Amino acid sequence: MEQQLDFLVDKVVAELQKKLGEATEQAPSPKAETGLIQLRSEPVASATTAPATVVNEQPAPSTEPERTTHVPNPKYKEGLDELLSSTPARIGVWRTGVRPLTKTMLELRRDHAAAVDAVYGEVSQAVLDQYSLFTVETQYDNTENYLKRPDMGRILTEEGVRLLQERGQKKPQVQIVVSDGLSAAAVDANLKDVLPSLMDSLKSYGLTCGTPFFIKGGRVASMDHVGEILEPEVLVLLIGERPGLVTAHSMSAYMCYRPRKGMVESERTVISNIHRQGTSPVEAGAHIGTILSKMLEQKASGVKLVL
C-alpha cells in the first residue's frame, strides 16, 4: 500500500511539472520562469526520469530510494547527508517561498491519511483466520469511546471472559495475545512475520504455548485481565502502536511475568517500533522468544529482569 501511495505522489508531481513545462513553452517570460522555479518540487531532471519508473502504472520497486535533500547549496552537505541517512524525519525538505514543496505537502497528507486509517481501520479477518485466532472484545464500545476512555480498553466484556474461559488454555507456560490497539494496519502488516518467528523461537527453547487469540479494542493493560483469567506464567501482547507520520504500521510487544490486575508499568518489558523500517518483524519474533525464556528462568519481568 505504501508503494502504491508513493507511486501516486510521484505521478501527481510529474503531471504538475509537465503542465508547468507546457505553460512555460507557450508563454515564456522572466516572470513565468521565476514562478516555475518556485513551484517545482524537485530538479527539472526528475520530471524526465519520473515517468521512467512507471511500468504499466504499477508501483515502484520495493527498494528504499536514497534520501536526498532539496536544499540548494547547503553549507555542510556531508553533515546534512549524514542526518538524512540516520533518520526518517522530514529534514532538508526545503521550501518554495514560505510554503513547503508540492511533493513534501502531498507526502505529508498521504502519511496523515494513513495514520487516520490505521486508528479507525479493522484487522483483516483473513489474517486472524490464517493463524486461527478467535476474537474477544473489551468494553471499548466504539472507536471514539476507545480514544476517550482508555480504561474501557483494559477490561474484557462478560462475553469475552466466557469465551476465553471456554476456548483458552488454563495456566499455560506462554500465552500469546494479539490486539489492534491504535493501529489495525500494524497487525495486518507485521503479524505474518512476527508470529511464525515467535513460535519457532519458543520451540527452540522448549517452551509450550497456550491458545493464541485476538483482543479487539485492547489496551496494554488488557493483558492483566487476561492474566487473571488464564493465569499464564508469562504473557506477550502484540499490539498496534499509535501511528505517526513516519509509519502507521508500527507494532509493540509487551511482556510480563505472571500478569495480574494492579501491575505497574515498570513490571512490563517491551520491544517497540516493530516494522519494516524499524525493528525487523522476523528478528523481533525471535528476540521475544529469548526474552520470554529469560523471564521464566529469572521469574521476573520489567526492571527486575536482567537481559
Side-chain angles (χ1 to χ4, degrees), residues 141-175:
D141 190 40
N142 57 62
T143 302
E144 294 296 334
N145 197 52
Y146 174 86
L147 297 174
K148 297 174 183 176
R149 293 286 306 275
D151 57 307
M152 299 185 75
R154 299 167 186 155
I155 305 172
L156 303 184
T157 61
E158 292 183 5
E159 175 63 21
V161 172
R162 183 192 64 77
L163 187 61
L164 196 53
Q165 290 172 335
E166 288 180 358
R167 302 186 61 176
Q169 178 184 329
K170 287 285 288 184
K171 297 186 177 181
Q173 191 174 28
V174 177
Q175 178 63 56

Side-chain angles (χ1 to χ4, degrees), residues 121 123 135-143 145-147 149-156 178-182 214-220 222 239:
V123 175
T135 300
V136 300
E137 294 191 21
T138 66
Q139 298 180 6
Y140 79 103
D141 190 40
N142 57 62
T143 302
N145 197 52
Y146 174 86
L147 297 174
R149 293 286 306 275
D151 57 307
M152 299 185 75
R154 299 167 186 155
I155 305 172
L156 303 184
V178 181
S179 181
D180 45 7
L182 284 163
F214 174 72
I215 296 180
K216 186 173 183 179
R219 292 280 184 173
V220 172
S222 62
I239 188 168

Side-chain angles (χ1 to χ4, degrees), residues 12 18 34 53 80 115 198 231 252 255 264 272 276 284 297:
V12 169
K18 181 180 177 182
T34 302
T53 64
L80 184 55
L198 172 56
E231 300 179 43
S252 285
M255 296 160 275
V264 294
S272 60
R276 282 167 177 74
E297 290 173 3

